[in-house]
Amino acid sequence: MQERYEPNLIEPIAQRYWNEQRSFAAKEDASKEKYYCLSMFPYPSGRLHMGHVRNYTIGDVISRFMRMQGKNVLQPMGWDAFGLPAENAAMMNSVPPAKWTYDNIAYMKKQLQSLGLAIDWDREVATCKPEYYRWNQWFFLRMLEAGIAYKKTGTVNWDPVDQTVLANEQVVDGRGWRTGALVEKREIPMYYLRITQYADDLLQALDTLPGWPDRVRAMQANWIGKSVGVRFAFTHDIKDSSGKLIGDGKLYVFTTRADTIMGVTYCAVAAEHPLALHAAQSNPQLAAFIEECKQGTAQEAELAQQEKKGMDTGLFVTHPLTKEPVPVWVANYVLMGYGDGAVMAVPAHDERDFEFAKKYKLPLKPVVVPRSWKGRQFEESTEVLDGLARPSLKIQDEKNLDEFYFNWNNWVPRLAEHGICVKSGKYDDMDYDEAIDAIAADLKEKSLGDKQTQWRLRDWGISRQRYWGCPIPIIHCDACGDVPVPDDQLPVVLPEDKVPDGSGNPLNKDPSFYECACPKCGKKARRETDTMDTFVDSSWYFLRYACADNSKAMVDARVNYWLPVDQYIGGIEHAILHLLYSRFWTRAMRDLKLVKVEEPFTNLLTQGMVLNDIYFRKPAAGRIQYFNPSEIDVKLDDKGKPVGAVLRSDGQPVEMGGMGTMSKSKNNGVDPQKLVDEFGADTARLFMMFAAPPEQTLEWSDEGVQGAFRFMKRLWRSVYEHVNAGPTSKLD
RNA sequence: GGCGGUGUGGCGGAAUUGGUAGACGCAGCGGACUUAAAAUCCGCCGGGUAACUCCGUACCGGUUCGACUCCGGUCACCGCCACCA
């Protein structure tokens, strides 16, 4: 054993030994308690970043701890290898995404090994390999048979120049990020997975996951978005040009406030609603308005910022209880994708309806009063606002000091509170719950509605008009329709030699891929060229680790030994989609009797981001220039507080921008490879584990790394001294 | 607007079920070694005081022999979701 601590000498020796001995290969052993420790697998972007190092170090420490506790530990690793960045890199460098991806995997695997992680590399998977994605295809066909997968037309962002579908993030200010062309909404056929069928289960079962952070469970519950209310219909006799009643003469709406049904003064429908489209046929102005609503992105968050706009259709529907005519408006605040794309509007008790009614001078009608008014006399009156007569209700407060009344100058939140029904005929004096029960019962009796549960969650559209993904195993035949690829012809292999040029999916232009024979009738047919969303790949990789070598089946009995994952570690950014899809997919596999496990992840740790200082200069004209902290000298005052910073190369001051997530755009990243090369993996790992609790953000500090390095050196020396002192010691 | 979280020295953060607040690290200060520097090592390091049995865990109050920890309220910050009817 040598006196000097030289990690670059000793770490590779240990790593080679582990590799040769297969020290971390896990074997199923029913006599031992298993422990499955899983880190979210990386996208092979090219190099590891500090977030990876943190993630895998946390997992490795937990694995080590559990191994020392005598558990049979599995810690696998793989590659989330399909996806858009490979296509972009391909365009820039004229390299096929496959080559780019495999090269990156080779490099990053070396990096991971140099970190000394106790990974069982025998179980490595890469989602872009046919051995893996054939089971995506196989199980997709099983879901199709079971009715969990289905086809329907869906709305996408379409770039008319590139002839391609854009993800929401690729739409900037309503234009394609590459072409700058105005993005269109387009209806195209896509495959969907019926995750909504599992909505209630996915929501309820969140309570069985005490090992998950509260906020992640809350985020999932929000996303699923259960809401209980009443779905009912207004009636009408509006017919289309062929004389058919639109929607069978019913305009369905959903409401959580059925108690306000007597206060309805208009109905609002989404721009894409059949009634709106019908009215637009004879109304060019309305048609133009509908076109305007269709512009922009399919992203809902942006809709929330828009001003409320609408237009009268001139159509009327009949109120199901009062039989009064109710005007139908098109409104941009109504979403086609939620419920039936239509709402009943009660401007006296709903903020959005209020704002809309005020803008377009629509009537309003108060029908709910505070509970404190119960059993007391109130006065009806009319006030004139904006030249309109507005009905108001007044009451003396209990101390007879003031008058409380509805006034319609501004919205007040109290108007939306639950209360007592008034001016509602037979429902007068009923409280919220009672009124809803009574109204739902009456609507049911008329066969015009009932209580219903509505979900925010939508079915999962998995079709992507993209090349670098798992092909959807369907063949389109003019005679037989959509025919599944027979199991014995799986996998449908993605050709790996294509180089996308930005003008759509190369599979569309490759006859050797899309030309095929119909498996049913043998006639010439066309292969589906859409590929699957990459979230499909990551929805079950944790199952495959248990049986990665099985070429005959998707999963086998070993899955039931290892699953569920005892500890899952990864970024909070996957709190909703990846984790929800995985929970759904596992349930689908359970229902098709492939696995026993229902909840795949028992404990979840969402590790914090890695932050670093931000330094910049803001020139009088032009872009902000960011400087990497390694190029900066910080000035301290007497107490050691930072008071300023200068760029080392020119000695001139730079602005201190506080701390932010390490990113290319802020130029504040630290390359893990440099860190490992200089100080060794142990120092890097020690610092990361030590500087902050795993769930919290970690503030990078070069001095902190030095401290960890000093610690390692001291540790080395004390071992060295021990070895020299002890006559029989053979530590080296 | 809804939901979730967090507030402790100059800084990152400890404090297992309510029992010595500030572990450990960073920065800072003093010292040793050195011709000098780096590296390394030792000591000090919340505030106040001449001193202590003083004050101090965002703020106000409560429970308790005892509160960073439990309860009620306030303030501030962060994250996610959001015309969801």
Side-chain angles (χ1 to χ4, degrees):
Chain A
M1 184 174 175
Q2 56 170 25
E3 186 172 359
R4 264 177 69 87
Y5 174 58
E6 288 184 277
N8 294 329
L9 232 59
I10 55 171
E11 285 178 4
I13 296 172
Q15 286 158 16
R16 208 177 311 129
Y17 176 83
W18 292 332
N19 206 19
E20 283 162 7
Q21 300 291 312
R22 296 216 166 307
S23 304
F24 308 117
K27 284 210 176 64
E28 296 74 23
D29 179 352
S31 68
K32 268 171 120 184
E33 194 182 344
K34 66 93 184 178
Y35 192 89
Y36 186 176
C37 182
L38 178 70
S39 292
M40 289 183 186
F41 64 168
Y43 178 80
S45 55
R47 305 178 69 90
L48 289 184
H49 56 67
M50 219 43 101
H52 291 129
V53 177
R54 192 175 188 200
N55 193 155
Y56 306 140
T57 301
I58 293 167
D60 201 49
V61 167
I62 294 171
S63 294
R64 172 90 175 121
F65 180 74
M66 290 301 166
R67 192 170 289 117
M68 290 170 90
Q69 304 263 316
K71 295 192 178 150
N72 188 22
V73 174
L74 169 60
Q75 184 175 227
M77 186 56 70
W79 308 95
D80 187 15
F82 274 136
L84 208 48
E87 292 193 38
N88 294 337
M91 272 188 270
M92 275 175 61
N93 311 321
S94 299
V95 180
K99 178 171 169 31
W100 184 83
T101 302
Y102 289 126
D103 288 351
N104 287 349
I105 288 176
Y107 181 77
M108 290 172 76
K109 185 171 175 179
K110 261 197 213 150
Q111 286 193 299
L112 284 177
Q113 287 174 329
S114 76
L115 285 171
L117 304 169
I119 287 168
D120 179 357
W121 285 104
D122 293 348
R123 295 169 186 262
E124 179 180 5
V125 301
T127 58
C128 63
K129 292 195 170 169
E131 306 90 274
Y132 182 83
Y133 66 68
R134 69 173 296 174
W135 302 112
N136 280 2
Q137 297 174 345
W138 181 83
F139 190 65
F140 170 79
L141 296 176
R142 301 292 83 76
M143 288 195 286
L144 206 58
E145 289 161 5
I148 299 173
Y150 66 97
K151 189 183 181 187
K152 72 166 185 189
T153 57
T155 308
V156 295
N157 300 307
W158 182 259
D159 185 322
V161 173
D162 268 356
Q163 294 287 299
T164 189
V165 169
L166 299 176
N168 284 334
E169 311 80 71
Q170 297 169 324
V171 180
V172 183
D173 295 331
R175 291 171 181 275
W177 65 298
R178 240 174 59 82
T179 63
L182 270 180
V183 168
E184 299 167 8
K185 283 187 188 177
R186 203 176 249 214
E187 303 279 321
I188 59 168
M190 304 210 290
Y191 285 92
Y192 286 83
L193 302 184
R194 227 180 274 282
I195 189 171
T196 52
Q197 192 176 300
Y198 291 83
D200 218 357
D201 188 14
L202 288 167
L203 181 67
Q204 301 283 329
L206 287 173
D207 292 336
T208 69
L209 295 172
W212 283 38
D214 287 345
R215 62 181 183 139
V216 174
R217 288 190 292 174
M219 281 159 78
Q220 292 221 346
N222 271 339
W223 188 262
I224 294 168
K226 183 177 186 174
S227 117
V228 179
V230 175
R231 179 177 182 259
F232 70 93
F234 292 80
T235 54
H236 62 79
D237 52 8
I238 304 161
K239 292 176 179 132
D240 66 18
S241 49
S242 66
K244 230 178 101 189
L245 274 174
I246 294 173
D248 288 334
K250 287 171 181 165
L251 171 64
Y252 271 99
V253 300
F254 175 77
T255 181
T256 54
R257 291 301 304 272
D259 59 316
T260 63
I261 196 170
M262 304 308 263
V264 170
T265 58
Y266 66 99
C267 280
V269 301
E272 300 92 339
H273 193 276
L275 278 183
L277 298 176
H278 171 75
Q281 284 171 9
S282 53
N283 184 343
Q285 250 188 308
L286 188 61
F289 176 70
I290 289 171
E291 266 315 300
E292 191 194 321
C293 290
K294 276 193 189 172
Q295 292 295 330
T297 70
Q299 198 160 8
E300 287 152 25
E302 285 164 30
L303 294 175
Q305 316 302 327
Q306 285 175 19
E307 192 193 348
K308 285 185 185 37
K309 279 187 196 164
M311 197 173 277
D312 194 357
T313 61
L315 303 172
F316 286 86
V317 292
T318 306
H319 193 289
L321 299 177
T322 65
K323 303 293 173 205
E324 280 170 13
V326 176
V328 178
W329 282 63
V330 179
N332 67 347
Y333 72 90
V334 181
L335 307 170
M336 194 60 210
Y338 187 76
D340 295 275
V343 298
M344 69 172 202
V346 185
H349 299 290
D350 180 280
E351 185 173 3
R352 290 154 304 170
D353 299 342
F354 176 84
E355 198 184 310
F356 192 82
K358 210 171 156 164
K359 177 166 180 183
Y360 293 105
K361 302 195 185 301
L362 292 160
L364 38 76
K365 203 180 151 196
V367 291
V368 172
V369 296
R371 288 182 174 130
S372 59
W373 290 31
K374 177 145 188 165
R376 300 171 61 207
Q377 284 295 317
F378 58 86
E379 199 183 311
E380 288 180 45
S381 62
T382 304
E383 30 182 306
V384 176
L385 275 174
D386 302 329
L388 290 169
R390 297 303 204 185
S392 181
L393 306 174
K394 282 190 193 180
I395 195 167
Q396 293 279 314
D397 89 349
E398 281 166 346
K399 291 170 193 153
N400 285 321
L401 294 173
D402 285 308
E403 285 185 324
F404 282 142
Y405 56 97
F406 289 95
N407 85 47
W408 307 109
N409 283 306
N410 293 302
W411 174 258
V412 283
R414 202 190 69 191
L415 292 170
E417 284 171 11
H418 298 176
I420 308 290
C421 291
V422 296
K423 297 174 69 60
S424 298
K426 64 184 277 200
Y427 312 112
D428 278 359
D429 289 334
M430 288 187 185
D431 204 303
Y432 174 77
D433 294 317
E434 194 187 352
I436 288 179
D437 287 347
I439 288 164
D442 288 349
L443 288 165
K444 189 174 184 180
E445 197 189 301
K446 294 175 196 288
S447 297
L448 285 176
D450 203 350
K451 285 195 174 176
Q452 214 204 27
T453 304
Q454 213 36 258
W455 304 90
R456 209 193 73 103
L457 185 70
R458 322 273 171 82
D459 277 342
W460 175 17
I462 59 159
S463 293
R464 295 291 179 274
Q465 295 69 33
R466 287 277 155 206
Y467 159 59
W468 189 235
C470 167
I472 294 176
I474 295 286
I475 289 166
H476 303 288
C477 169
D478 287 341
C480 311
D482 301 333
V483 183
V485 173
D487 286 355
D488 59 15
Q489 290 173 30
L490 294 180
V492 176
V493 176
L494 183 75
E496 294 194 345
D497 57 347
K498 300 281 169 275
V499 182
D501 59 7
S503 66
N505 183 349
L507 298 179
N508 276 329
K509 300 167 208 155
D510 180 11
S512 71
F513 179 79
Y514 66 71
E515 280 183 357
C516 62
C518 171
K520 260 192 190 165
C521 67
K523 280 192 209 136
K524 204 175 155 190
R526 188 182 166 95
R527 192 181 292 286
E528 172 71 55
T529 55
D530 281 359
T531 53
M532 295 184 195
D533 182 1
T534 54
F535 276 112
V536 170
D537 309 322
S538 55
S539 287
W540 67 283
Y541 76 104
F542 46 88
L543 303 173
R544 187 64 185 173
Y545 282 140
C547 55
D549 57 0
N550 192 332
S551 60
K552 298 279 188 297
M554 185 179 189
V555 288
D556 59 38
R558 288 174 288 174
V559 172
N560 292 328
Y561 174 76
W562 288 112
L563 271 287
V565 171
D566 294 279
Q567 181 66 60
Y568 197 24
I569 305 135
I572 186 74
E573 65 273 21
H574 293 113
I576 298 175
L577 294 183
H578 162 60
L579 291 169
L580 192 64
Y581 291 150
S582 298
R583 295 178 63 220
F584 155 68
W585 191 281
T586 306
R587 281 171 165 73
M589 285 185 70
R590 173 206 60 188
D591 287 353
L592 297 178
K593 308 276 184 251
L594 288 161
V595 296
K596 288 186 177 149
V597 63
E598 171 175 297
E599 282 296 344
F601 314 118
T602 306
N603 294 292
L604 176 69
L605 190 156
T606 51
Q607 108 258 10
M609 306 265 193
V610 184
L611 311 184
N612 201 0
D613 294 307
I614 298 169
Y615 299 101
F616 63 92
R617 277 180 193 157
K618 203 171 180 178
R623 300 178 123 218
I624 293 185
Q625 192 186 0
Y626 289 96
F627 300 97
N628 194 277
S630 60
E631 307 163 2
I632 299 292
D633 282 329
V634 177
K635 301 243 187 254
L636 304 174
D637 68 6
D638 313 341
K639 289 197 155 187
K641 263 191 183 173
V643 289
V646 296
L647 183 64
R648 199 172 300 125
S649 59
D650 65 9
Q652 297 303 304
V654 295
E655 307 249 8
M656 299 194 289
M659 283 233 158
T661 311
M662 283 190 183
S663 71
K664 270 186 193 157
S665 63
K666 297 280 193 295
N667 188 17
N668 64 342
V670 175
D671 184 357
Q673 198 56 51
K674 278 190 190 156
L675 191 71
V676 171
D677 291 346
E678 193 176 348
F679 299 103
D682 284 322
T683 293
R685 294 168 46 137
L686 182 66
F687 168 69
M688 301 225 90
M689 291 308 293
F690 200 64
E695 305 85 1
Q696 284 179 37
T697 54
L698 183 151
E699 299 187 358
W700 193 259
S701 149
D702 288 332
E703 293 77 16
V705 175
Q706 290 290 345
F709 189 51
R710 267 197 290 276
F711 179 92
M712 287 306 303
K713 284 196 277 193
R714 278 198 291 263
L715 182 67
W716 180 264
R717 203 185 50 216
S718 70
V719 172
Y720 174 78
E721 282 165 3
H722 176 80
V723 169
N724 280 359
T728 58
S729 183
K730 286 208 172 139
L731 268 182
D732 84 333

